[in-house]
Amino acid sequence: MPQLRLLPRGAWAALVSQLLRPPRTACTGVVLCHSQVAEAVLTSQLKPDQEKSNFILKTPKGTRDLSPQQMVVRKKILDTVVSCFKRHGAKELDTPALELKEMLTEKYGEDYLLIYDLKDQGGELLSLRYDLTVPFARYLAMNKVKQMKRYHVGKVWRRETPTIIQGRYREFCQCDFDIAGQYDPMIPDAECLKIMCEILSRLQLGDFLIKVNDRRIVDGMFAVCGVPEGKFRAICSSIDKLDKRSWEEVRHEMVAKKGLASEAADQIGDYIQLRGGVSLVEQLFQDPRLSQNMQVLEGLRDLKLLFEYLTLFGINEKISFDLSLARGLDYYTGVIYEAVLLQTPAQAGEESLSMGSVAAGGRYDGLVGMFNPKGHKVPCVGLSIGVERIFSIVEQRMKAFGEKVRTTETQVFVATPQKNFLQERLKLIAELWDAGIKAELLYKNNPKLLTQLRYCENMGIPLAVIIGEQELKEGVIKLRSVASREEVAIKRDNLVAEIQKRLSES
Amino acid sequence: MPQLRLLPRGAWAALVSQLLRPPRTACTGVVLCHSQVAEAVLTSQLKPDQEKSNFILKTPKGTRDLSPQQMVVRKKILDTVVSCFKRHGAKELDTPALELKEMLTEKYGEDYLLIYDLKDQGGELLSLRYDLTVPFARYLAMNKVKQMKRYHVGKVWRRETPTIIQGRYREFCQCDFDIAGQYDPMIPDAECLKIMCEILSRLQLGDFLIKVNDRRIVDGMFAVCGVPEGKFRAICSSIDKLDKRSWEEVRHEMVAKKGLASEAADQIGDYIQLRGGVSLVEQLFQDPRLSQNMQVLEGLRDLKLLFEYLTLFGINEKISFDLSLARGLDYYTGVIYEAVLLQTPAQAGEESLSMGSVAAGGRYDGLVGMFNPKGHKVPCVGLSIGVERIFSIVEQRMKAFGEKVRTTETQVFVATPQKNFLQERLKLIAELWDAGIKAELLYKNNPKLLTQLRYCENMGIPLAVIIGEQELKEGVIKLRSVASREEVAIKRDNLVAEIQKRLSES
């Protein structure tokens, strides 16, 4: 079952969609003929038949279109996520997809290599945003905002490589919630974990667990294991890969590539096997080496308080203190967390295994200060929901259960049994639209009645209004229930009211 | 009144926002020290105090953040637009922000210069999408879809220059609705115009007019005026600039820069002054020169039919057949249109003048074929709503009328008059959240009651629940109406039901 191993962000999603969708056209390098463009463009006409077999019709590597069916599913997920963010009092913010390149430097550790840069076409050097957190911090610093609870739903871009094999997306949607401001310890942090629990519960993704650690505990652990301070972030990045690589691989990277002493690596290897609840916090207070480290003690004290609040929120059983959780990004300074699904309903019966993170976040008290000329800090804590993976899980489950989605919301179809009735259909449908009723007709002068009624059935449109010579003469319209096929004649003047009544009843 | 001249896309919006917002930091070229990044990154820690005065804190030129207040306004506009698209039976589609560079070439005429390219970091050559139309055509061709009515809301990017002076945005939101498929003539085209009317009416932007023309009439007019066929698109691009430049400037560009004979330019100059309703269509059928041109005749025949349908839809008075309308993009092949606002309510009393386009579109029957190896065509017609300008107008109007917006939806605030009551507040708020109630508290161990109640008033939160020693003992909670300041004691078990009742009544 290799696909049930710990998989990286997006991997599971892609595996599912690879299984479910027709194979994509293979990607080959395509070289453009730029030089011809400038010359051709002033005189260009549409040339349907030339120079087209040269290129492969596809979206860029690691990106995809979302079909109407997928958009309905996606929307449902986003609605659940956003309504939870609003339930917790968050405001919405939007920032550009583009940031000045310099805004993104020194924020992401080794992952800076994954940032998409724009071509220098004159003017500023720009990059596509890598996450929604750094733009949020930039916004706070730029506008001198000291307190803010905001959410942000938007796309981010990462040059993950290889894409297809590991199945990561290079363009994907994030849903972020963050609390900025100086507050009493661990109250906002606990709320972030509560939000993750609420969202994962309401999405009905099956059982989940939230791993929690603290960056100060990670760093303190490194210190007592003999990692030189200058290597903290690099070793942290290695540990972060434990969800997709074996300990042996990670250890090799730390020792062979990053020059860590093998004794230090082995000591880390012992600690990162520890996981548990608040009792593990108590246990580590007694650890002869860790308890000598001030950073560790601060982290443990905060985690203890955090567990107290989580218990009051009734979610402590969903939380696991896990020393192997490191989080790769540079900017975390305190508590960090990552939610993993234990199994999905579709896999009930199979072995219960972790299937990769669907939400993550942590505290970053220094990031805003990096943008402030005087280094003024605004403490922040937040979380990000990994929509792509959740989307794949929900999509797969819907297919497994044969659930169908309507991709339109059309309520009424305007039909006629007669030829040369387009004018009356157009007048009638305009009345419906103007009354706010969702209505469609066929774009044909003389469609067959059967074709029209079949369209209603195929599209799940509940009502049809039928107009013909007879109806026109009598000043009525036939109103048909598509499901029951019952028809009644309604006075034209009463039609809108009758339709609205029927729709409100259903 | 230079700002009331015909302004380009985004210009009016920017003027308004320039007037209303604090001045932005000036843009200066900032050169990054790329070489240092790779070296520094492995050992980087958060450095709040170093190297920060080097850069100016800003978003990229031509882009902006949207504050929570702005997001509420934006959301309201998008809801109106999207609900209209749904009323007309459209499905939603999403495509990546990135496209293969070659997908965008030879689609935009001279505007190809405005496309943002990504840096070649290995792999495919990519660009940011310039509009939502070409990605839609690419989607149809790629998936061999022959019929589809879809909407798409998303950002697009254009390297407009100069940005600040003309006030254009380089990143902006578009809302597109398109109908793809082979249908009887002008029915989908008329629906697109109906949609534009519905949206502009419902947004209450004041009086508007939709200019209509046909690309075949434009081309036929060029032909009879003696424009060589190879220069059609280039001259079309020049004519398209008439909404932001004078005829003299446009004429100069056509003659001096694009080598058009001055007699041809003058003949065009005569024709493009013509505008009117269906009577102008009839008049041009009689024009001795235009009526000799097959393309013109086809265009006029379609416009005549279009006006018939627009009359049935009750919107013919909003439509003006205007020979100066050219639309710059290469891909249009038939009817084209552009909606302009005549005045906004905020400017009532001032001279009624056109203030630039807020929606536009047209028929593009060849675009999908450009992506098909065999050139198979899928006729399309669609429209795009210019959200940025509409947004500025609505925003300005709200400010003019002193309308305030709530940026959160919080329904209940959890307060206490007593110290050391955080635990009870946390338990209580978790109950509310779990019941789906939008609730907040202050992230403090011991906030003052006055501070808490003031927060409710400032944020417009309608209800507060208050818990203290006394309430805890009696098993009740005080429920306070923030506006009336009335308080009643409610049994804890009944609290959620009582809150839900109060909220449903308000």
Side-chain angles (χ1 to χ4, degrees):
Chain A
M1 285 301 203
Q3 72 272 37
L4 287 179
R5 282 196 315 121
L6 288 165
L7 284 179
R9 183 181 48 64
W12 200 80
L15 271 171
V16 169
S17 66
Q18 272 178 22
L19 291 170
L20 296 171
R21 285 197 279 153
R24 287 217 218 150
T25 325
C27 163
T28 62
V30 179
V31 180
L32 270 179
C33 208
H34 296 278
S35 57
Q36 297 176 344
V37 176
E39 197 183 324
V41 80
L42 286 181
T43 57
S44 72
Q45 301 278 31
L46 300 182
K47 295 179 202 138
D49 306 310
Q50 296 160 31
E51 299 167 34
K52 251 170 333 215
S53 40
N54 299 348
F55 65 77
I56 291 162
L57 214 48
K58 65 186 284 295
T59 62
K61 200 170 160 182
T63 71
R64 59 171 170 175
D65 299 315
L66 291 178
S67 72
Q69 286 76 12
Q70 292 174 314
M71 283 307 283
V72 172
V73 177
R74 159 90 41 141
K75 209 85 174 177
K76 223 173 119 185
I77 295 168
L78 291 183
D79 283 351
T80 303
V81 172
V82 167
S83 73
C84 179
F85 292 163
K86 287 182 177 173
R87 194 157 60 239
H88 287 261
K91 306 170 177 186
E92 190 173 10
L93 183 70
D94 189 50
T95 68
L98 302 171
E99 292 279 345
L100 297 184
K101 183 174 167 55
E102 60 190 338
M103 297 294 165
L104 306 188
T105 50
E106 297 198 19
K107 309 294 188 304
Y108 299 111
E110 295 174 11
D111 282 358
Y112 83 100
L113 290 166
L114 306 186
I115 293 173
Y116 275 100
D117 292 329
L118 267 75
K119 191 168 146 187
D120 184 356
Q121 295 170 291
E124 300 161 336
L125 289 176
L126 306 176
S127 301
L128 288 175
R129 65 184 173 208
Y130 176 91
D131 63 10
L132 303 176
T133 310
V134 169
F136 176 53
R138 194 260 310 141
Y139 175 87
L140 294 175
M142 192 172 126
N143 296 283
K144 299 190 173 56
V145 176
K146 295 219 162 54
Q147 287 192 350
M148 186 174 199
K149 191 155 56 173
R150 82 90 179 79
Y151 73 93
H152 188 176
V153 175
K155 287 181 177 177
V156 300
W157 294 267
R158 299 182 185 178
R159 294 179 55 250
E160 304 279 5
T161 173
T163 47
I164 305 301
I165 299 163
Q166 293 202 355
R168 297 184 174 204
Y169 289 107
R170 291 180 158 202
E171 171 180 278
F172 56 97
C173 178
Q174 283 198 329
C175 299
D176 278 25
F177 172 99
D178 292 82
I179 301 172
Q182 184 68 59
Y183 300 111
D184 284 336
M186 306 319 282
I187 313 177
D189 313 59
E191 184 169 2
C192 287
L193 291 166
K194 175 79 172 96
I195 288 173
M196 278 166 63
C197 285
E198 283 180 33
I199 289 172
L200 295 177
S201 300
R202 284 184 189 241
L203 287 173
Q204 297 178 291
L205 300 171
D207 211 7
F208 62 89
L209 191 73
I210 303 179
K211 300 180 194 173
V212 170
N213 198 358
D214 192 294
R215 187 48 76 76
R216 291 164 297 179
I217 297 174
V218 175
D219 286 356
M221 174 184 82
F222 289 161
V224 304
C225 293
V227 180
E229 204 176 325
K231 290 197 204 296
F232 277 12
R233 292 284 69 74
I235 297 305
C236 196
S237 285
S238 297
I239 298 290
D240 184 50
K241 293 172 187 156
L242 275 174
D243 63 347
K244 47 203 168 201
R245 298 199 198 145
S246 70
W247 165 246
E248 286 66 37
E249 288 172 294
V250 168
R251 188 186 182 284
H252 178 261
E253 179 180 291
M254 296 195 299
V255 175
K257 291 198 188 154
K258 296 182 177 172
L260 186 67
S262 57
E263 308 77 47
D266 290 335
Q267 289 179 34
I268 294 172
D270 289 341
Y271 275 125
I272 60 168
Q273 288 172 33
L274 300 175
R275 59 208 61 182
V278 70
S279 59
L280 179 58
V281 179
E282 299 294 353
Q283 182 189 321
L284 292 190
F285 270 123
Q286 311 305 325
D287 183 279
R289 298 168 67 207
L290 288 181
S291 60
Q292 300 304 306
N293 183 286
M294 282 309 294
Q295 278 201 291
V296 171
L297 288 180
E298 280 175 29
L300 289 174
R301 265 194 293 266
D302 274 353
L303 281 190
K304 193 179 167 188
L305 190 58
L306 179 68
F307 268 104
E308 189 190 313
Y309 296 159
L310 299 177
T311 305
L312 293 165
F313 283 159
I315 56 168
N316 54 313
E317 296 200 342
K318 292 289 183 193
I319 316 292
S320 167
F321 175 29
D322 188 326
L323 281 182
S324 73
L325 180 70
R327 306 282 301 139
L329 301 179
D330 265 20
Y331 50 65
Y332 291 116
T333 56
V335 62
I336 47 179
Y337 33 79
E338 206 170 281
V340 291
L341 298 183
L342 298 178
Q343 64 174 24
T344 63
Q347 289 172 312
E350 295 189 21
E351 208 181 340
S352 176
L353 276 167
S354 166
M355 295 188 304
S357 128
V358 288
R363 176 163 283 283
Y364 50 102
D365 288 347
L367 189 57
V368 178
M370 289 178 79
F371 290 111
N372 184 290
K374 291 178 183 162
H376 288 159
K377 289 187 178 181
V378 178
C380 297
V381 64
L383 64 98
S384 184
I385 303 289
V387 185
E388 305 302 334
R389 195 172 303 182
I390 292 171
F391 171 69
S392 292
I393 294 166
V394 174
E395 198 181 24
Q396 190 216 29
R397 189 176 54 198
M398 290 177 71
K399 290 194 181 175
F401 289 101
E403 278 183 62
K404 283 203 175 154
V405 288
R406 270 194 80 186
T407 53
T408 62
E409 299 178 7
T410 308
Q411 299 163 321
V412 180
F413 185 87
V414 175
T416 184
Q418 270 165 309
K419 288 204 170 182
N420 302 317
F421 246 68
L422 177 62
Q423 295 202 343
E424 290 304 324
R425 283 153 63 214
L426 292 180
K427 267 164 69 181
L428 182 54
I429 200 166
E431 276 175 45
L432 299 180
W433 287 330
D434 292 341
I437 293 166
K438 296 167 190 159
E440 282 187 85
L441 50 64
L442 293 191
Y443 303 125
K444 285 194 152 210
N445 288 311
N446 298 310
K448 288 183 184 146
L449 185 61
L450 193 64
T451 312
Q452 298 173 78
L453 296 179
R454 255 196 214 133
Y455 182 84
C456 298
E457 286 176 11
N458 292 339
M459 299 297 290
I461 302 172
L463 296 172
V465 293
I466 302 170
I467 184 164
E469 201 69 63
Q470 190 66 22
E471 287 80 14
L472 197 62
K473 218 178 285 170
E474 296 172 9
V476 298
I477 306 280
K478 259 193 225 150
L479 181 60
R480 178 184 171 109
S481 158
V482 174
S484 71
R485 302 188 177 184
E486 279 171 67
E487 290 181 358
V488 285
I490 310 269
K491 272 197 183 163
R492 175 108 181 207
D493 290 345
N494 301 339
L495 183 66
V496 166
E498 177 65 24
I499 288 172
Q500 279 160 343
K501 186 168 150 272
R502 295 255 197 133
L503 293 172
S504 68
E505 286 165 2
S506 66
Chain B
M1 287 304 213
Q3 72 271 39
L4 288 179
R5 283 196 314 121
L6 289 165
L7 285 179
R9 183 183 47 64
W12 201 82
L15 271 170
V16 170
S17 67
Q18 271 179 23
L19 290 171
L20 298 172
R21 283 197 281 155
R24 285 217 219 151
T25 327
C27 160
T28 61
V30 180
V31 180
L32 270 179
C33 209
H34 296 278
S35 57
Q36 295 176 345
V37 176
E39 198 182 323
V41 78
L42 286 181
T43 57
S44 72
Q45 300 278 32
L46 299 182
K47 296 178 201 139
D49 305 310
Q50 296 160 31
E51 300 168 34
K52 251 170 335 215
S53 41
N54 299 347
F55 65 76
I56 292 162
L57 212 50
K58 63 186 286 294
T59 62
K61 199 169 161 182
T63 71
R64 59 172 170 175
D65 298 316
L66 290 178
S67 71
Q69 286 78 12
Q70 291 175 314
M71 284 306 282
V72 172
V73 177
R74 160 90 41 143
K75 210 84 173 177
K76 223 173 119 185
I77 295 168
L78 292 183
D79 283 351
T80 303
V81 171
V82 167
S83 73
C84 179
F85 292 163
K86 287 183 178 171
R87 194 157 59 239
H88 287 262
K91 306 170 178 186
E92 190 173 11
L93 183 70
D94 189 50
T95 69
L98 302 171
E99 292 280 344
L100 297 184
K101 183 174 167 55
E102 60 190 338
M103 296 294 165
L104 306 188
T105 51
E106 298 198 18
K107 310 295 187 305
Y108 299 111
E110 295 174 10
D111 283 358
Y112 84 99
L113 291 165
L114 306 186
I115 293 172
Y116 276 100
D117 291 331
L118 268 76
K119 190 168 145 186
D120 185 355
Q121 294 169 292
E124 301 162 336
L125 290 176
L126 305 176
S127 301
L128 288 174
R129 66 184 172 208
Y130 176 92
D131 63 9
L132 304 176
T133 311
V134 169
F136 175 53
R138 193 260 310 141
Y139 174 88
L140 294 174
M142 193 173 125
N143 296 283
K144 299 192 173 56
V145 176
K146 295 220 162 54
Q147 287 193 349
M148 185 177 200
K149 189 155 57 174
R150 82 89 178 80
Y151 74 93
H152 187 177
V153 175
K155 286 181 178 177
V156 301
W157 294 266
R158 299 182 186 179
R159 295 178 55 249
E160 303 279 6
T161 172
T163 47
I164 305 300
I165 299 164
Q166 293 203 356
R168 296 184 173 205
Y169 288 107
R170 290 179 160 203
E171 171 180 279
F172 57 96
C173 177
Q174 284 198 329
C175 299
D176 278 26
F177 172 99
D178 292 81
I179 301 172
Q182 183 70 58
Y183 299 112
D184 284 336
M186 307 318 284
I187 312 177
D189 314 60
E191 183 169 4
C192 286
L193 290 166
K194 176 79 172 96
I195 288 173
M196 278 166 65
C197 285
E198 283 180 34
I199 289 172
L200 295 178
S201 300
R202 284 183 190 242
L203 287 172
Q204 297 179 290
L205 300 172
D207 211 7
F208 62 88
L209 191 73
I210 303 179
K211 300 179 194 174
V212 170
N213 198 0
D214 191 293
R215 188 47 77 77
R216 291 164 297 179
I217 297 175
V218 175
D219 285 356
M221 174 184 81
F222 289 161
V224 305
C225 293
V227 180
E229 204 176 324
K231 289 197 203 297
F232 278 10
R233 292 284 69 74
I235 297 303
C236 196
S237 284
S238 298
I239 299 290
D240 184 50
K241 293 171 187 158
L242 274 174
D243 62 348
K244 47 202 168 198
R245 297 200 198 145
S246 69
W247 165 246
E248 285 66 36
E249 287 173 293
V250 168
R251 188 186 182 283
H252 179 262
E253 178 180 295
M254 296 195 301
V255 175
K257 291 197 189 155
K258 296 181 177 173
L260 185 67
S262 58
E263 307 77 50
D266 291 334
Q267 290 178 33
I268 293 172
D270 289 341
Y271 275 124
I272 60 168
Q273 289 171 33
L274 299 175
R275 59 208 60 180
V278 70
S279 60
L280 178 58
V281 179
E282 299 294 353
Q283 183 190 320
L284 293 190
F285 270 123
Q286 310 306 324
D287 184 279
R289 299 168 66 208
L290 290 181
S291 60
Q292 300 305 308
N293 183 288
M294 284 308 294
Q295 278 202 290
V296 171
L297 288 181
E298 280 175 29
L300 289 173
R301 266 194 292 266
D302 273 352
L303 281 190
K304 195 179 165 188
L305 189 59
L306 179 68
F307 268 104
E308 189 190 314
Y309 296 159
L310 298 177
T311 306
L312 293 165
F313 283 159
I315 56 168
N316 53 312
E317 296 199 344
K318 292 288 183 193
I319 316 292
S320 166
F321 174 30
D322 188 326
L323 281 183
S324 74
L325 180 71
R327 305 284 301 139
L329 302 179
D330 266 19
Y331 49 65
Y332 290 117
T333 56
V335 63
I336 48 179
Y337 33 79
E338 205 170 281
V340 291
L341 298 182
L342 299 178
Q343 63 174 24
T344 64
Q347 290 172 313
E350 294 188 22
E351 208 180 338
S352 174
L353 277 166
S354 166
M355 294 187 306
S357 125
V358 288
R363 176 163 283 283
Y364 50 102
D365 288 347
L367 188 58
V368 178
M370 289 178 80
F371 291 111
N372 185 290
K374 291 178 184 162
H376 288 160
K377 290 187 178 182
V378 178
C380 295
V381 64
L383 64 98
S384 184
I385 304 289
V387 186
E388 305 301 334
R389 195 170 304 181
I390 292 170
F391 171 68
S392 294
I393 293 166
V394 173
E395 199 182 24
Q396 189 214 30
R397 191 177 52 199
M398 290 177 73
K399 290 194 180 174
F401 289 101
E403 278 182 63
K404 282 200 178 158
V405 286
R406 271 194 80 184
T407 52
T408 63
E409 298 177 8
T410 308
Q411 299 163 322
V412 179
F413 185 86
V414 175
T416 185
Q418 270 166 306
K419 288 203 168 183
N420 302 318
F421 245 70
L422 177 63
Q423 294 202 342
E424 289 304 325
R425 283 154 63 214
L426 292 180
K427 266 164 69 181
L428 182 54
I429 200 165
E431 277 175 44
L432 299 179
W433 287 331
D434 291 342
I437 293 166
K438 296 168 189 159
E440 283 186 84
L441 49 64
L442 293 192
Y443 302 125
K444 285 193 152 210
N445 287 312
N446 298 310
K448 289 183 183 145
L449 185 60
L450 193 64
T451 312
Q452 297 173 79
L453 296 179
R454 254 195 215 135
Y455 182 85
C456 298
E457 287 176 10
N458 292 339
M459 299 297 290
I461 302 172
L463 297 172
V465 293
I466 301 171
I467 185 162
E469 201 69 65
Q470 190 65 21
E471 287 80 13
L472 198 61
K473 216 178 288 169
E474 297 171 9
V476 299
I477 306 280
K478 259 193 223 150
L479 182 59
R480 178 185 170 107
S481 157
V482 174
S484 71
R485 302 187 177 185
E486 280 172 67
E487 290 181 0
V488 284
I490 311 269
K491 272 198 182 159
R492 176 106 181 208
D493 290 346
N494 300 339
L495 183 66
V496 165
E498 176 64 25
I499 288 172
Q500 278 161 345
K501 186 169 151 270
R502 293 255 198 137
L503 291 172
S504 68
E505 286 165 1
S506 65

